[in-house]
Amino acid sequence: MRGTDATGIGGLACLSQRDHAAAAICSIGGPLDQAIFGQAVDHDFRCCGIHGDLAAKVILGERPALVQAGERCELCRCQLRNAGAENRQMALVRFPHQVSDLAVQAIGGCVHHLLTLVSMIDSIARWRHYFIRIRTNLKAPAQVDYFRPNSLAEALMFAERGGMRIAAGCTDLFPATQQQRLPGPILDITGIQTLRGVSHDAGNYTIGAATTWTDIVRANLPPAFDALKQAALEVGAVQIQNSGTVAGNLCNASPAADGVPPLLVLDAFVELQSNRGVRSLPLGDFLTGVRQTALQPGEIVTAVTVPETAGGRSKFLKLGARKHLVISIVMAAVRLDVVDGRVREAAVSVGSCSPVAARLPAVEAALANAEMDDALAGLVQDADVSVALTPIADIRGDADYRYDAAAELVRRAVRDLVDERVAA
Ligand SMILES: Cc1cc2nc3c(=O)[nH]c(=O)nc-3n(C[C@H](O)[C@H](O)[C@H](O)COP(=O)(O)OP(=O)(O)OC[C@H]3O[C@@H](n4cnc5c(N)ncnc54)[C@H](O)[C@@H]3O)c2cc1C
C-alpha cells in the first residue's frame, strides 16, 4: 500500500478486467469526488457500494453488485456486515488494457483481502499507472475481536477506531492477563511483512516493529549494535526471543526492559504512525515512565531507527539472580567510538535503576577523549553513576546494592571493550 496522507488512508484500488474492457475497483467510505485517478483512467465511471462497511463486491464486466446482507467473504468467509446500507459508494472503472487475473480473485473478497491484493499488485511497478488512489475513510467492522492485517494501511485503519490492543509477540501481553485469551479487540501486527526485519538506508538503520529478538541476533549489523545483540540473547529463552519483538519491549515500558539501554546508547528513535501522519521521537522521549509511553490513540510503533552516526563498539551486561530467564536487577550498555586510540564519543546507559533506563552524562564526559587503555574503566566514578539513577528497593535488591552494581557493571563493560580492542 502507498502511504497515508492527512485526510486519511491513501488507499490504492486495483484494476482488473476481462475482455479488455472492464476493470474494477473496490473500496469503501469517502465520497467519490475525493478519488484521485491515475493516468490510465479515461473511461466510464460509475459508482455504487456500501458506505462505512467492509463489504463490497465487484462483478467484472457487469454493473458492480452489492453484497447482500448475511453474505460471506468468499475468501475468508467473514460475515459481511451492513450490506445494502444507504450512501453507497463504490466505483467501477473501465480500462482499455488487460491487467491481470490477480485482481479477479478479489471478487467476492472482503476489503481486507482486496487491500492485501492491492498491496501485492502494487509491488509490480509496471502496473502502477493502472491504480487509482482514493482518499477514503475506511472503517473497520464494528465487532471484530481479532484482526491480523497484512498491510500497514489496514492496521492504521483499525487502530484509528481506538480501544484496541496492539499485539506483536504477546510475550508481555499474555503474562499480563489472567485470562486464557487476550481481551480484545486485538490488532495483531505480525502479518505485516513490511514491519519485519532490519534495513539500512538514508543514513539510518531501521528495525521494523515486528522484528523479533532472534531477527536481531541474525541481522548483519555493525559493532555498535553488539550490545543490542547481547541483550537479545538474554531476553528470556530462545522461544521468547523467537516471538518477542524489540518494539514490544519498548512499548511495554518496563524499567527492566533489556532492550532499552542498548538502544539508548545507539541514540535510537521510535517511529510512530497513525492516519494523522508519522512522527519520530528520541527513545528517551518515547518512554515517559513506568509502563508509560508517548504513544497516542490511533498510533502504532512502526519502527525503531538508529542513525548510522552512532559508531564504535558496544557492550551489554545484565545482572540477575541467575544467568538466564531472569528479570534484570541492573543492566548496563556502553558504546565507545574510538579514533586513534582515544575515545571520540562515549555513550553509557543503565536500566532497572530508575523508572526509565537512563543515560549517564557525567560518566560519558569522564570517558570522552580519554585514552583507550587499561586505566579507562577507572574513570567511571560511583558518584557519576549514582547521580543519574533513582533505584527502588524490591525483592531483587535494595537501592544501595543497585547503585553499587550499576557502577560495577559500567566499569566491567568499559573494561571488556578495552580488552576487545586489544585483542582485535
Ligand atoms: C518467560 C519470559 C521471559 C522474559 N524475559 C525477558 C527478559 O529477560 N528481558 C526483557 O526485557 N523482557 C523479557 N520478557 C518480556 C518480553 O518477552 C519482552 O519485553 C518482549 O520484547 C516483548 O515483545 P512482544 O512482541 O512479545 O510484545 P507484546 O507482548 O506483543 O506487546 C507488549 C506491549 O507492547 C505493545 N505493542 C507491541 N507492539 C507494538 C507496536 N508496534 N505499536 C504499539 N504498541 C505495541 C502491546 O500493546 C503491549 O502493550 C520476558 C517474557 C517472558 C514471558
Side-chain angles (χ1 to χ4, degrees):
M1 299 296 296
R2 293 270 168 80
T4 58
D5 54 40
T7 58
I9 292 177
L12 276 173
C14 71
L15 289 302
S16 175
Q17 72 80 47
R18 265 180 200 155
D19 301 323
H20 295 244
I25 70 160
C26 179
S27 189
I28 305 295
L32 286 169
D33 62 7
Q34 287 185 357
I36 303 167
F37 294 94
Q39 61 186 64
V41 179
D42 55 6
H43 283 257
D44 294 350
F45 177 79
R46 287 177 286 157
C47 75
C48 73
I50 305 164
H51 177 72
D53 196 336
L54 280 184
K57 188 171 182 180
V58 176
I59 296 179
L60 296 180
E62 300 173 17
R63 278 180 60 84
L66 293 177
V67 176
Q68 298 303 308
E71 209 168 323
R72 289 181 180 276
C73 166
E74 290 171 13
L75 298 178
C76 72
R77 311 305 301 165
C78 76
Q79 188 87 39
L80 303 172
R81 299 172 203 280
N82 301 332
E86 292 301 315
N87 200 1
R88 298 166 173 179
Q89 290 160 342
M90 189 170 73
L92 173 73
V93 184
R94 293 187 182 281
F95 275 74
H97 306 285
Q98 180 143 7
V99 184
S100 167
D101 282 338
L102 259 183
V104 175
Q105 293 164 16
I107 299 169
C110 65
V111 165
H112 177 185
H113 280 103
L114 188 74
L115 293 180
T116 304
L117 184 83
V118 168
S119 50
M120 280 166 55
I121 293 175
D122 187 37
S123 64
I124 305 172
R126 67 189 174 86
W127 289 351
R128 286 240 165 99
H129 61 286
Y130 294 121
F131 296 152
I132 294 175
R133 185 157 184 257
I134 293 184
R135 285 183 197 161
T136 179
N137 294 313
L138 292 175
K139 288 193 172 57
Q143 297 146 356
V144 168
D145 285 337
Y146 175 79
F147 186 48
R148 187 172 186 263
N150 296 320
S151 73
L152 180 59
E154 290 171 277
L156 294 175
M157 171 186 85
F158 194 73
E160 191 176 35
R161 69 186 226 175
M164 48 80 220
R165 197 181 297 258
I166 299 171
C170 290
T171 60
D172 275 319
L173 279 178
F174 265 118
T177 177
Q178 303 299 313
Q179 301 170 33
Q180 289 253 315
R181 49 181 294 182
L182 292 177
I186 299 291
L187 171 57
D188 181 345
I189 61 162
T190 57
I192 308 171
Q193 284 307 311
T194 52
L195 291 188
R196 185 159 184 185
V198 184
S199 58
H200 178 214
D201 56 15
N204 281 314
Y205 289 90
T206 300
I207 301 169
T211 305
T212 66
W213 291 111
T214 300
D215 294 336
I216 293 293
V217 172
R218 293 178 180 165
N220 184 16
L221 289 164
F225 285 78
D226 285 356
L228 187 64
K229 289 192 171 210
Q230 290 152 3
L233 288 167
E234 300 221 28
V235 174
V238 170
Q239 293 91 333
I240 298 298
Q241 294 159 19
N242 286 345
S243 305
T245 61
V246 179
N249 190 250
L250 304 185
C251 293
N252 191 53
S254 161
D258 285 327
V260 177
L263 286 167
L264 280 178
V265 299
L266 284 168
D267 301 325
F269 285 75
V270 178
E271 187 179 283
L272 304 128
Q273 203 161 327
S274 71
N275 276 339
R276 300 180 297 278
V278 183
R279 60 192 184 118
S280 184
L281 295 179
L283 176 55
D285 292 346
F286 173 73
L287 298 167
T288 54
V290 179
R291 310 273 179 204
Q292 286 172 359
T293 70
L295 193 77
Q296 297 284 320
E299 276 184 329
I300 296 174
V301 169
T302 48
V304 179
T305 61
V306 173
E308 65 182 8
T309 48
R313 309 185 78 87
S314 66
K315 183 80 188 178
F316 173 82
L317 290 176
K318 166 173 173 170
L319 174 69
R322 57 179 179 269
K323 179 62 187 147
H324 283 291
L325 269 175
V326 69
I327 296 177
S328 296
I329 300 170
V330 180
M331 69 286 204
V334 176
R335 178 175 62 85
L336 299 178
D337 194 3
V338 179
V339 176
D340 295 335
R342 281 189 176 275
V343 177
R344 190 184 67 84
E345 185 195 6
V348 182
S349 175
V350 164
S352 263
C353 287
S354 44
V356 174
R359 284 278 290 258
L360 274 50
V363 178
E364 292 174 1
L367 296 175
N369 296 315
E371 278 192 45
M372 189 71 177
D373 60 16
D374 288 348
L376 191 66
L379 299 179
V380 178
Q381 301 294 317
D382 288 1
D384 289 346
V385 174
S386 304
V387 71
L389 307 178
T390 51
I392 57 163
D394 63 10
I395 51 165
R396 281 180 283 277
D398 62 29
D400 285 341
Y401 177 65
R402 284 189 156 100
Y403 279 127
D404 291 347
E408 183 55 27
L409 282 192
V410 172
R411 275 191 284 268
R412 288 185 189 182
V414 170
R415 209 172 292 134
D416 285 353
L417 287 169
V418 172
D419 290 347
E420 276 177 26
R421 187 176 160 78
V422 170

